[in-house]
């Protein structure tokens, strides 16, 4: 009986004991089987580009003695001048990586790997060289798809679901660093949704797997051998791997490459709005509470958003059934939505949530142009005679007259009051307001005269809320939140 009790207690303690085995703290037993399976589908990409440069043959060699006045002297002078001014061309080569997604020869890589290339050669694992053509490329997401012709079906890999990848998951990266040939490295997903300021649709997977020059365009695999990312960039002061690499997630890459393969170009969704980040001050000024969503600063006339009734000052909280956690997520959500699809959205407007339906348009080149400029007002210009000083904000403002419209290049259809002076130590200066800015709204109330603005300043101070200003600068509309009681940091 005692022996049985001892055995039972031993089992109980074994089950209750914390997991401390080496197996619980180690990674996979090895990557050999996975690497052996995947390596044949990863290719090296070699590109050749012709670069023209101005030649410089120099002057006539000093040791070449020609008799003064000799016809040969003029001949050599003319010859050397022609050589000096003639363009000289040379070939430049570059190396990158890619992976086969279809046995018929379709290959995914980065746009920057093949950009401006005159010749593209794909090198398979068995050293077979195949000439490739560009099917399509997309600069904004840095993706491209190539096509090679082969007598035999090529080994291919399939896309995985990058949305299911979690921070801490093991991954394998395969590529051609420094032209050494197929190289396998392993690591984990270090972070998700990284914005590295490389374009409007940044949402990279970050990894600590060693990625170096030449890995660009290569695949990032999960432990099931599925592609969950396209290795694209590294952060490195030295140019080599320091354990911070970035991959385009498969959720974006598959959609882009499918469109490039089928159509040769990208059709992106478009709303027709300019948006900005919802800061805590702006959220307080709007009565939103928690900063989230995307604040609409202006709406394109006749665009999808305008037709759906979305207005400047609305905060887009949801789009197509998905939450918009922050401003930078919305452009990607819209871009990935099918053109002409009707979707629902929820906006926050003056304390209420409003549901709208809209039909997604197609983004054109003119809609992508970013023509915003930083304009510095001329503070040496004479102040308008009827300008009023608003000390709580740190500005002087005047009604818009024809003379002020001309001075500050304000269009006739713009309404509000124009800023004629900015106190460099005031709250408005802290928020970037400049001479020539037009304040059209304050606390979502229309401003027609300086007195209207003064009244809204007093009310905001009384309520203890930030003053939310709608500012027009050269037709660029933007909301600015001025919080009273905050001192400028020196």
């Amino acid at each position: 009986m005692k022996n049985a009790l001892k055995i039972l207690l031993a089992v109980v303690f074994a089950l209750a004991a914390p997991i401390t085995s080496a197996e619980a703290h180690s990674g996979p037993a090895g990557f050999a089987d996975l690497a052996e399976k995947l390596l044949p589908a990863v290719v090296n990409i070699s590109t050749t580009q012709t670069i023209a440069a101005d030649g410089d043959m120099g002057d006539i060699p000093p040791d070449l003695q020609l008799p003064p006045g000799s016809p040969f002297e003029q001949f050599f002078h003319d010859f050397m001048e022609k050589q000096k001014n003639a363009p000289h061309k040379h070939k430049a080569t570059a190396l990158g990586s890619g992976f086969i997604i279809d046995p018929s020869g379709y290959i995914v890589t980065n746009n920057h790997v093949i950009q401006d290339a005159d010749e593209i050669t794909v090198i398979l694992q068995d050293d077979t060289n195949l000439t490739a053509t560009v099917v399509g490329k997309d600069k904004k997401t840095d993706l491209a798809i190539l096509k090679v012709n082969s007598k035999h079906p090529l080994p291919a890999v399939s896309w995985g679901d990058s949305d299911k990848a979690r921070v801490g998951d093991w991954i394998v990266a395969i590529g051609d660093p420094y032209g050494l040939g197929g190289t396998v490295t392993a690591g984990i997903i270090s972070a998700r949704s990284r914005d590295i300021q490389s374009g409007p649709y940044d949402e990279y997977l970050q990894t600590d797997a060693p990625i170096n020059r030449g890995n660009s365009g290569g695949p990032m695999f999960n432990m099931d051998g599925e592609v969950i990312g396209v290795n694209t960039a590294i952060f490195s002061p030295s140019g080599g791997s320091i354990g911070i690499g970035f991959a385009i997630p498969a959720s974006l890459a598959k959609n882009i490459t499918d469109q490039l393969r089928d159509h040769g170009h990208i059709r992106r969704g478009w709303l027709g709005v300019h948006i900005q980040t919802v800061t805590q001050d702006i959220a307080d000024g709007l009565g939103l509470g928690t900063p989230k969503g995307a604040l609409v600063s202006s709406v394109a006339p006749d665009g999808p958003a305008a037709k759906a009734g979305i207005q400047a000052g609305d905060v887009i909280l949801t789009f197509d059934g998905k939450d918009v956690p922050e401003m930078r997520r919305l452009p990607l959500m819209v871009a990935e939505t099918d053109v002409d699809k009707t979707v629902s959205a929820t906006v926050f407007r003056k304390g209420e949530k409003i549901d709208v339906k809209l039909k997604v348009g197609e983004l054109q080149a003119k809609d992508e142009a970013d023509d915003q400029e930083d304009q510095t007002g001329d503070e040496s210009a004479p102040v308008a005679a009827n300008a009023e000083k608003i000390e709580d904000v740190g500005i002087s403002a005047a009604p818009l007259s024809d003379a002020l419209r001309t001075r500050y290049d304000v269009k006739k259809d713009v309404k509000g009051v124009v800023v004629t002076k900015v106190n460099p130590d005031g709250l408005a200066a802290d928020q970037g307001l400049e001479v020539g800015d037009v304040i059209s709204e304050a606390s979502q109330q229309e401003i027609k005269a300086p007195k209207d603005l003064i009244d809204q300043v007093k009310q905001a101070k009384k309520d203890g809320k930030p003053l939310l200003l709608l500012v027009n600068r050269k037709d660029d509309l933007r909301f600015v939140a001025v919080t009273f009681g905050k001192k400028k940091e020196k």
Side-chain angles (χ1 to χ4, degrees):
M1 182 65 179
K2 289 184 178 180
N3 289 336
L5 183 59
K6 288 181 180 179
I7 293 173
L8 179 60
L9 289 174
V11 171
V12 171
F13 287 136
L15 292 174
I19 299 173
T20 58
S21 66
E23 181 180 357
H25 295 282
S26 65
F31 301 98
D33 291 340
L34 193 61
E36 184 178 7
K37 172 186 173 183
L38 301 175
L39 269 167
V42 182
V43 301
N44 299 342
I45 297 176
S46 174
T47 63
T48 303
Q49 179 183 358
T50 302
I51 298 178
D54 291 334
D56 186 1
M57 300 293 290
D59 298 320
I60 298 174
D63 58 343
L64 181 60
Q65 300 297 322
L66 297 173
S70 167
F72 290 105
E73 182 182 38
Q74 186 63 39
F75 170 81
F76 274 102
H77 175 78
D78 293 342
F79 173 79
M80 296 304 291
E81 284 296 316
K82 288 181 180 179
Q83 291 299 313
K84 184 185 296 186
N85 297 323
H88 293 267
K89 298 181 179 180
H90 67 276
K91 297 282 188 179
T93 60
L95 294 172
S97 305
F99 54 97
I100 304 167
I101 59 169
D102 189 291
S104 63
Y106 286 97
I107 295 168
V108 173
T109 187
N110 282 139
N111 174 63
H112 75 260
V113 170
I114 53 89
Q115 189 173 12
D116 300 325
D118 299 317
E119 300 175 1
I120 304 173
T121 302
V122 169
I123 307 170
L124 306 182
Q125 189 189 24
D126 61 3
D127 291 330
T128 299
N129 284 229
L130 300 173
T131 300
T133 57
V134 179
V135 176
K137 54 186 179 180
D138 180 48
K139 183 177 180 180
K140 287 194 174 294
T141 55
D142 196 17
L143 289 166
I145 190 161
L146 311 177
K147 179 68 168 66
V148 296
N149 294 319
S150 174
K151 296 180 181 179
H152 309 286
L154 298 175
V157 290
S158 59
W159 295 103
D161 188 352
S162 58
D163 290 338
K164 293 182 179 179
R166 301 184 303 163
V167 173
D169 281 350
W170 282 96
I171 60 95
V172 168
I174 302 181
D176 179 26
Y178 297 102
L180 294 172
T183 300
V184 180
T185 57
I188 63 169
I189 294 178
S190 305
R192 294 177 50 91
S193 300
R194 284 294 196 220
D195 181 2
I196 62 174
Q197 305 295 312
S198 67
Y201 308 118
D202 283 15
E203 199 180 32
Y204 290 96
L205 297 174
Q206 181 181 324
T207 180
D208 65 347
I211 295 175
N212 290 284
R213 293 177 181 176
N215 273 101
S216 290
M220 172 190 285
F221 294 103
N222 60 19
M223 291 298 95
D224 293 324
E226 299 169 327
V227 179
I228 59 169
V230 182
N231 300 319
T232 298
I234 61 173
F235 176 81
S236 173
S238 64
S241 174
I242 60 171
I244 304 178
F246 303 97
I248 302 167
S251 57
L252 173 61
K254 182 180 186 303
N255 177 46
I256 296 297
T257 54
D258 283 350
Q259 289 192 58
L260 291 176
R261 175 178 171 176
D262 296 340
H263 310 294
H265 66 277
I266 303 300
R267 296 186 72 201
R268 288 191 170 94
W270 175 63
L271 277 188
V273 294
H274 285 165
I275 56 176
Q276 66 182 82
T277 300
V278 180
T279 64
Q280 184 62 62
D281 287 345
I282 288 177
D284 292 340
L286 291 171
L288 182 61
T290 303
K292 58 184 176 181
L295 175 61
V296 178
S297 57
S298 64
V299 182
D302 299 324
K307 292 177 181 178
I310 292 177
Q311 305 172 5
D314 289 348
V315 178
I316 300 176
L317 299 177
T318 69
F319 179 81
D320 198 14
K322 298 178 181 178
D323 290 337
V324 181
E326 55 187 346
M327 181 272 289
R328 71 182 185 88
R329 283 285 301 142
L330 184 60
L332 183 58
M333 295 168 70
V334 175
E336 291 180 331
T337 304
D338 293 337
V339 175
D340 295 331
K341 180 182 178 180
T342 299
V343 302
S344 60
T346 302
V347 302
F348 183 85
R349 179 186 302 163
K350 296 182 179 180
E352 296 183 4
K353 291 183 179 180
I354 302 172
D355 295 325
V356 298
K357 293 280 187 180
L358 56 89
K359 186 177 182 180
V360 177
E362 181 175 0
L363 183 67
Q364 304 294 334
K366 63 181 179 63
D367 302 317
E368 294 184 88
D370 183 8
D371 56 4
Q372 298 180 20
E373 297 181 9
D374 288 329
Q375 301 288 341
T376 301
D378 181 8
E379 297 197 25
S380 64
V383 177
N386 55 352
E388 294 195 37
K389 185 181 290 187
I390 308 174
E391 294 185 354
D392 288 326
V393 180
I395 62 172
S396 292
L400 276 168
S401 63
D402 290 341
L404 290 176
R405 288 183 186 276
T406 300
R407 179 189 298 172
Y408 298 119
D409 192 22
V410 179
K411 293 182 178 179
K412 289 185 178 181
D413 59 343
V414 175
K415 298 178 181 180
V417 295
V418 63
V419 176
T420 58
K421 189 174 182 180
V422 178
N423 179 353
D425 296 321
L427 296 176
D430 289 349
Q431 300 302 321
L433 262 69
E434 299 175 356
V435 171
D437 288 347
V438 177
I439 299 175
S440 301
E441 292 183 5
S443 298
Q444 298 188 297
Q445 299 298 317
E446 185 179 3
I447 299 300
K448 298 180 180 179
K451 182 181 182 304
D452 298 333
L453 180 56
I454 293 172
D455 290 343
Q456 292 302 322
V457 169
K458 291 179 179 177
Q459 190 62 46
K461 289 189 68 177
K462 180 181 177 181
D463 295 339
K465 293 183 178 181
L467 177 70
L468 190 66
L469 302 176
L470 178 58
V471 178
N472 185 314
R473 179 181 299 168
K474 306 298 184 184
D475 287 336
D476 176 24
L477 291 173
R478 189 167 188 83
F479 284 94
V480 173
V482 177
T483 303
F484 301 101
K486 285 191 175 182
K487 295 183 178 180
K488 186 174 182 179
E489 294 183 2
K490 299 294 184 182

